[in-house]
Amino acid sequence: MSDHSHELPFWKKYIFSVDHKVIGIQYTVTALLFLAFGFGLMLVMRYQLAYPNQPLPGVFASVLSEPVVGEVTVNEATGETGKVLTGDGYNAFGAMHGTIMVFLAIVPLAVGGFGNFVLPLQCGAPDMAFPRLNMASYWTYLCGGILMLFGFFVKGGAANSGWTSYPPLSLIATTGQTIWLLGMVILITSSLLGSVNFIVTAVQLRVQGLSFFRLPFFVWAQLVTSFLLLLAFPPLEAAGLLQLMDRVAGTSFFDPGGLIISGVERNSAGGGSPLLWQHLFWFLAHPEVYVLILPGLGIIAEVIANNTRKPLWGYKSLVYSAIFLGFMSFIVWAHHMYLTGMGTTLSTFFQATTMIISVPSVIILTCLVISLWGARIRFNTPMLFALSFLPMFAIGGLTGLPLGLTASDIHLHDTYYVIGHFHYVVAPGTIFAMFAGVYYWYPKASGRMMNEWLGRIHWFGSFVFINAVFMPFFFLGMAGVLRRQFDQTETLHGAAVQGLTVMATWGAIGLALAQIPFVINFFWSMFAGQRVGANPWKATTLEWTAPSPPPHGNFDAVPVVARGPYEYSVPGESEDFSMQATA
Amino acid sequence: MSATVIPYDVKPHPLTGMYNGKFGIWLFLASEIMLFGALFSTYVLLRVGAPEGTWPIAGSPTTRGDNILQVPLAALNTAFLITSSVTMVLAWANLKMGSFKKGQQFLLVTVLLAGAFLVVKYFEYNSKLHHYAVTFNEHFDRDGVESKSFKGLTQAGTEKTIHYLWGHVEETKKDADGAIQSYLFMPDHDTSHGGEGHEPKAVEIHPAEIARMTTFGPGGSSFLGCYFVITGLHGLHIVGGIVVMLWFLLTGSKMWKTQPDKYANRIECTGLYWHFVDLVWIFLFPVLYLL
């Protein structure tokens, strides 16, 4: 099996590959690049927020041009000019930061990257169920991503109606919005192809002995995630299609009519409903939240079980909670819309479901925390990220409760508090989990370890600075600073808390610097990392049975599974881990 | 392509009773249900939210008059699609029984029926795109042609009388700069003065008299928007089905010689998809044309 792969030409082996591991790595690298790009957009915005209308520093000023930035005179006497971010540029960056981070960075990284690489291995499968479909979904994703970026180069710049693209604003926005919609339709197609593949692989390609309750929690998390992608994404695809028609074919699905733009009434039949978009959008975007977090929880579970050298506490509770979470996530969407004037009966319903959905999240987190109890913890880089994930995710989750309650949401809606809440879930939450995953599976993908000390520096810097970025957001939000404000110093209450915004900006700059060791580590370890065997972490799950890196076809011999996924420190065994596969 | 052998590629999995492809296509169809479900929900929401009397309802005198879609054509299309579902099943059944030639013939018939559906759809779309609705600023009466009117409600709930004519633009007169001076407008039989049976005649309409002029295309009304987007997306699914079936008729059929079971499976998956597309139409027909 394995020697066949050597016959493949370079472009077939590494570029147009059908091997799930290569595709997983392609996804990971592409998504990390988008992550860096989305982060860059945010740095420019943060500079504007901290130092409103001040010329941008040289790095950004040199790469940005009209209409994103405008010329201003810095020094009247010398005539020296500088570039400042314009309001339109700020809006475009904001919309694209959100879109890129969610749809082009985190989801492809969590599902396309880790899911692709790890899931078939953990199932003992030779590849995904549909290898060519897998390749197609990566290339569709890449095309959608490039199309999204192309938006920056059309007249009027990229989409600037927020990542949520609420009409009627988005209906009258510049061409960038049309590009955004086309990009979304392509990206959604990509994740649909991916999710079909994942579900079929996890259900049909499990090896002999690997019953559902012997699957690692990571596979369960990916399975639930795939169902969410499969069933929640199509309504957004429909919504995107409808908005596209509103923009290019003159329909009026989201246009109630009588819209006056610059003194002229928009020519449309009217009769549409802007709220319809919000319903369709959030019907996707709430399950999307769990798409962002579940794979992260899966990775954390793997890392924690491995480094506590104990079975996960409450494995079945974890699985049932994940399934319940997935189900509930379909009926909470309108808690994003309390302020749209919906009736109290409806908002009470969504308030209740929102409170209910926090229960399985808490169960999952509790299981993971209790798993630490009484363990002799190995503090390596993946584990440090996993351990810091727990409180960060808890902060993110708990700060969501006041948003889920209608009364407190009236004050907090659309403020920085909301931004703080979901960034705590996704940034120090999911992204930390992704980092844990990169450090944990890097030896499997490359056959080499990442450098431990660079990893710890990376972790420490990230942990400190990410809190410096996002903790002030809660206070800003409670002070009433609105989330999409270009310059908060224009309001009295905003000016009073400007110091917190400056702090967040310096936190973001620090966070950028803290990623340098990671970048060095990632590439340096590829060539100079310590070579390791198949199972450097002394882990139990099936991927560690395959050689590192696994050849095309994965396993030297088809494994047979004899036990559950987390049989660490089994009394009477000679080693403190008992692998799932029988030798 | 590679030496990697994927389990359950052809043989059914003991747990699910399906081979990979069949399981995959069912999942895909689940997502398709969500896609069309969202569009149907859009239709329901817009219809429920429409001010009273503005949603065209088949045969109802309370709306802008007539049924604006052609039910007989849609009924014919329904027959085409249902028949094509039968031939699709026969194609698969014959392949399963080892009769390649008969299987191919039935597949070809399916493609032809799908093509016939699209042809009918083309005529339906075309007539809508060349049919105009003109709304006037006030009551219109010239050369014996009088506008019709109905009392509608605006979204704000205030009553509003709408003066309108339906018909075709025979000629657009422009001045030297290309600005439109007038339209020569041929009203439909039932809206011209004198009513049904009366010899219709064209009338000149000036842009200043027009509040809104639009075809019965997607921008005509919320209803037409729904009609065009949903049937358009459904039409794209038909086109997709035709492409796949043609592939299996031509290049893809080589697989029969080496892996007949796998080939029959692929036709089965195509069939599942095809039945789904068919089923969507079974919902679309009553919802858009009859209700």
Side-chain angles (χ1 to χ4, degrees), chain A residues 4 126-130 132 192 196 199-200 203-206 212 230-231 234-235 238 241-242 245 250-251 253 256 267-273 276 280 283 552-553, chain B residues 1-8 13 15-16 18-21 23-24 27-28 30-31 34-35 38-39 42 45-46 155 212 218-222 225-226 229 233 266:
Chain A
H4 192 85
D127 205 315
M128 291 290 256
F130 312 111
R132 276 187 291 179
L192 284 179
V196 168
I199 298 172
V200 175
V203 173
Q204 305 255 110
L205 264 50
R206 288 166 294 123
F212 276 110
L230 186 77
L231 300 176
L241 213 60
L242 296 176
M245 291 300 113
T251 58
F253 290 106
N267 179 23
S268 86
S273 162
L276 173 62
L280 291 173
F283 186 82
H552 195 43
Chain B
M1 195 148 186
S2 73
T4 307
V5 180
I6 308 287
Y8 306 110
H13 187 282
L15 180 71
T16 57
M18 289 183 275
Y19 50 88
N20 294 340
F23 190 28
L27 291 171
F28 171 70
S31 85
M34 296 302 287
L35 178 66
L39 292 173
T42 300
L45 204 125
L46 290 183
Q155 290 228 317
R212 189 161 193 261
S221 68
S222 298
C226 289
V229 170
L233 189 67
R266 290 192 163 182

Side-chain angles (χ1 to χ4, degrees), chain A residues 233-286:
Chain A
F233 253 131
L236 185 64
E237 187 156 25
L241 213 60
L242 296 176
Q243 196 180 102
L244 193 65
M245 291 300 113
D246 272 8
R247 289 180 56 89
V248 302
T251 58
S252 53
F253 290 106
F254 305 123
D255 178 0
L259 207 60
I260 313 279
I261 309 148
S262 316
V264 183
E265 190 172 340
R266 183 173 189 260
N267 179 23
S268 86
S273 162
L275 279 186
L276 173 62
W277 167 267
Q278 296 194 21
H279 280 293
L280 291 173
F281 181 86
W282 288 113
F283 186 82
L284 153 92
H286 200 81

Side-chain angles (χ1 to χ4, degrees), chain A residues 458-502:
Chain A
H458 173 218
W459 165 75
F460 184 75
S462 301
F463 183 67
V464 170
F465 287 118
I466 211 157
N467 282 293
V469 181
F470 296 122
M471 195 53 86
F473 283 14
F474 293 121
F475 300 102
L476 283 168
M478 284 187 276
V481 180
L482 294 177
R483 62 187 286 192
R484 282 177 182 154
Q485 217 156 17
F486 177 56
D487 175 6
Q488 73 185 57
T489 57
E490 284 179 353
T491 59
L492 272 179
H493 65 275
V497 286
Q498 176 68 5
L500 288 169
T501 295
V502 175

Side-chain angles (χ1 to χ4, degrees), chain A residues 191-243:
Chain A
S191 50
L192 284 179
L193 299 179
S195 59
V196 168
N197 219 339
F198 278 58
I199 298 172
V200 175
T201 306
V203 173
Q204 305 255 110
L205 264 50
R206 288 166 294 123
V207 286
Q208 197 193 333
L210 190 61
S211 60
F212 276 110
F213 279 116
R214 281 181 180 173
L215 284 174
F217 182 64
F218 178 83
V219 177
W220 273 108
Q222 289 285 342
L223 194 58
V224 175
T225 303
S226 298
F227 270 106
L228 297 184
L229 286 175
L230 186 77
L231 300 176
F233 253 131
L236 185 64
E237 187 156 25
L241 213 60
L242 296 176
Q243 196 180 102

Side-chain angles (χ1 to χ4, degrees), chain A residues 320-405:
Chain A
Y320 287 129
S321 299
I323 296 170
F324 184 61
L325 199 68
F327 171 75
M328 285 302 290
S329 72
F330 282 99
I331 45 172
V332 294
W333 80 90
H335 66 209
H336 297 266
M337 300 165 58
Y338 287 146
L339 264 67
T340 56
M342 67 164 76
T344 48
T345 317
L346 204 58
S347 61
T348 307
F349 171 80
F350 282 105
Q351 178 173 283
T353 54
T354 305
M355 293 303 121
I356 291 170
I357 201 173
S358 63
V359 175
S361 319
V362 170
I363 292 177
I364 292 177
L365 198 61
T366 310
C367 287
L368 293 175
V369 172
I370 297 179
S371 297
L372 303 175
W373 187 268
R376 288 183 57 200
I377 298 173
R378 296 195 308 208
F379 288 97
N380 46 32
T381 313
M383 190 58 176
L384 289 171
F385 274 106
L387 287 175
S388 42
F389 168 93
L390 298 174
M392 298 295 101
F393 177 62
I395 292 174
L398 289 175
T399 52
L401 293 177
L403 295 171
L405 296 164

